[in-house]
Amino acid sequence: MSETGEPQEVSYRRVLVKVSGEALMGSEAFGLHWPTIEGIARDLADAHKAGAEVAVVVGGGNILRGASVAGRGLDRATADHMGMLATVMNALALEKAIEEAGTPARTLSAIPMPTICEPYARQTASRHLSRGRIVVLAGGTGNPYFTTDTGAVLRAAELECDAVMKATNVDGVYTADPKRDPDAVRYERLTHDEALAKDLKVMDAAAFALAREAKLPIIVFSIRQPGAIEDAVRGRGRSTTVAP
């Protein structure tokens, strides 16, 4: 809020925030760390209160990552479907935390399970966003062999979002892994073509290619910083923008 009490203008009217499952672990080695989830939920709620319509795609790597268990007695399609179920568990936890933060939320799953949450439909999700609810999107694309990063870009394109907010453990895209290379330099801005050509590992190639086709900017920032999601929708804070 401004000093006069009026909402400050956001840089992006409708956004899709991609949150990894690992981000929900906090200090835990596995599963959910509730204080961490509450902090992310408050940040999402603050971004919504700032004036943005907010959709969230959540991963499942804190519980099970399909690609990592495939081949250990499981075929890839079965393993990926198990990973999608993990995202539903995370989405339900995040939905509850967002509502406790004072903002209405709805979980929609690409895998229909109507006794637990609503099935995903583009029109339904868009209607929820227009009515002031944060929409938590679970189940990835609903298909094996696709990551939740690709699912995030797909949903952002379907819902006519202005940007994809990629919340990571680092404050942008670097020339190398900053945790391993002290000389790594953060990019301020990249094109989708540059990200693909440099084989940068922030998102998989299918996600970058889809974002390029849909002309969707991707804002990469650290979720570890308090208020980072609100800062990103306001167009401030440390980040890297990947855009046409």
Side-chain angles (χ1 to χ4, degrees):
M1 300 288 286
S2 68
E3 292 181 0
T4 62
E6 293 297 321
Q8 296 178 2
E9 191 170 323
V10 294
S11 296
Y12 305 97
R13 180 189 59 85
R14 177 177 285 188
V15 299
L16 188 296
V17 181
K18 169 63 198 321
V19 178
S20 70
E22 288 87 346
L24 306 182
M25 291 193 303
S27 57
E28 303 292 335
F30 174 84
L32 301 171
H33 183 245
W34 195 251
T36 297
I37 295 171
E38 287 178 320
I40 294 171
R42 283 193 299 270
D43 199 1
L44 289 165
D46 287 344
H48 176 269
K49 291 169 186 174
E53 295 178 355
V54 180
V56 187
V57 165
V58 64
N62 57 319
I63 299 171
L64 186 143
R65 185 182 295 279
S68 67
V69 299
R72 303 179 187 179
L74 289 170
D75 60 88
R76 175 64 186 272
T78 300
D80 279 357
H81 278 108
M82 291 168 64
M84 291 178 216
L85 295 177
T87 71
V88 177
M89 289 187 274
N90 286 339
L92 292 172
L94 194 55
E95 176 194 47
K96 177 64 173 176
I98 292 168
E99 294 208 319
E100 287 183 352
T103 300
R106 295 289 187 277
T107 294
L108 279 66
S109 172
I111 302 173
M113 45 185 74
T115 60
I116 297 174
C117 59
E118 295 181 51
Y120 172 78
R122 181 177 61 83
Q123 297 91 335
T124 303
S126 186
R127 192 181 311 118
H128 281 314
L129 291 170
S130 297
R131 291 178 178 176
R133 300 170 184 131
I134 292 179
V135 173
V136 187
L137 300 166
T141 67
N143 300 287
Y145 299 98
F146 291 96
T147 67
T148 50
D149 279 349
T150 301
V153 177
L154 172 63
R155 297 298 183 235
E158 288 181 326
L159 297 172
E160 299 181 325
C161 292
D162 298 317
V164 175
M165 303 289 174
K166 169 72 172 177
T168 70
N169 290 321
V170 292
D171 58 356
V173 181
Y174 282 76
T175 54
D177 186 345
K179 296 178 181 178
R180 299 181 180 180
D181 185 351
D183 296 321
V185 177
R186 182 173 60 87
Y187 294 103
E188 290 288 340
R189 191 175 182 89
L190 289 162
T191 66
H192 297 108
D193 286 332
E194 287 173 331
L196 286 165
K198 295 176 187 292
D199 194 27
L200 300 172
K201 300 299 185 182
V202 178
M203 280 190 164
D204 62 85
F208 272 132
L210 181 56
R212 177 181 60 186
E213 181 179 346
K215 297 181 172 58
L216 268 170
I218 301 169
I219 316 301
V220 184
F221 62 95
S222 173
I223 201 170
R224 302 300 182 191
Q225 296 296 319
I229 298 172
E230 182 186 358
D231 282 344
V233 301
R234 291 192 187 278
R236 63 194 189 196
R238 286 174 64 86
S239 63
T240 298
T241 300
V242 184

